[in-house]
Amino acid sequence: MALTSEEKNLLKRLASGAFDGFVGDDLTTTGGSTVWKQIKNGVPAMFKQGPSRKFFNGKENERIAGVLHALQEWATDEQKLEFLKKFGWLMKDEAVNAYSAKFKPKK
């Protein structure tokens, strides 16, 4: 797959950590789990954390965080570009927004 200069630039910025952080909003499922997308060290991934639990230890209620699952990871350059095409409109960067808009379905 031949990459355009725009795609090479986006991949370079992604690898440098320029886009690290949360992408879009988190989603709470009906079961109480939370699902979100995050870019960390230049690698986009989708995570799910189960609902937290409470129990009484004899003195007070304690809260235990739910189990964290990595649902999907976009590791290769092609996968990273697919992530930017699909979710780039949720990011706060004009270049990524413009790249993602090129692949938006026409009405």
Side-chain angles (χ1 to χ4, degrees):
M1 176 174 149
L3 300 177
T4 65
S5 61
E6 177 186 25
E7 291 172 334
K8 289 177 186 175
N9 184 35
L10 288 173
L11 286 172
K12 183 179 174 183
R13 290 180 61 204
L14 184 64
S16 74
F19 303 135
D20 282 6
F22 290 96
V23 176
D25 295 329
D26 58 351
L27 167 79
T28 303
T29 65
T30 55
S33 299
T34 304
V35 180
W36 71 93
K37 287 172 254 345
Q38 181 178 6
I39 300 174
K40 186 175 183 181
N41 299 325
V43 180
M46 183 167 29
F47 297 98
K48 175 183 174 185
Q49 185 161 18
S52 60
R53 300 176 294 160
K54 292 191 294 187
F55 77 95
F56 186 70
N57 68 3
K59 290 184 180 179
E60 61 187 4
N61 284 329
E62 286 189 30
R63 185 173 297 272
I64 299 175
V67 178
L68 179 64
H69 301 280
L71 297 178
Q72 186 174 2
E73 187 174 275
W74 290 267
T76 66
D77 285 349
E78 289 80 18
Q79 291 172 337
K80 290 176 183 179
L81 288 173
E82 284 298 319
F83 179 86
L84 293 177
K85 288 176 186 177
K86 189 170 183 178
F87 301 111
W89 64 276
L90 295 168
M91 299 170 69
K92 293 176 175 66
D93 185 270
E94 290 182 19
V96 179
N97 293 152
Y99 180 72
S100 180
K102 292 179 184 179
F103 302 97
K104 185 177 179 183
K106 306 286 188 255
K107 288 187 177 180

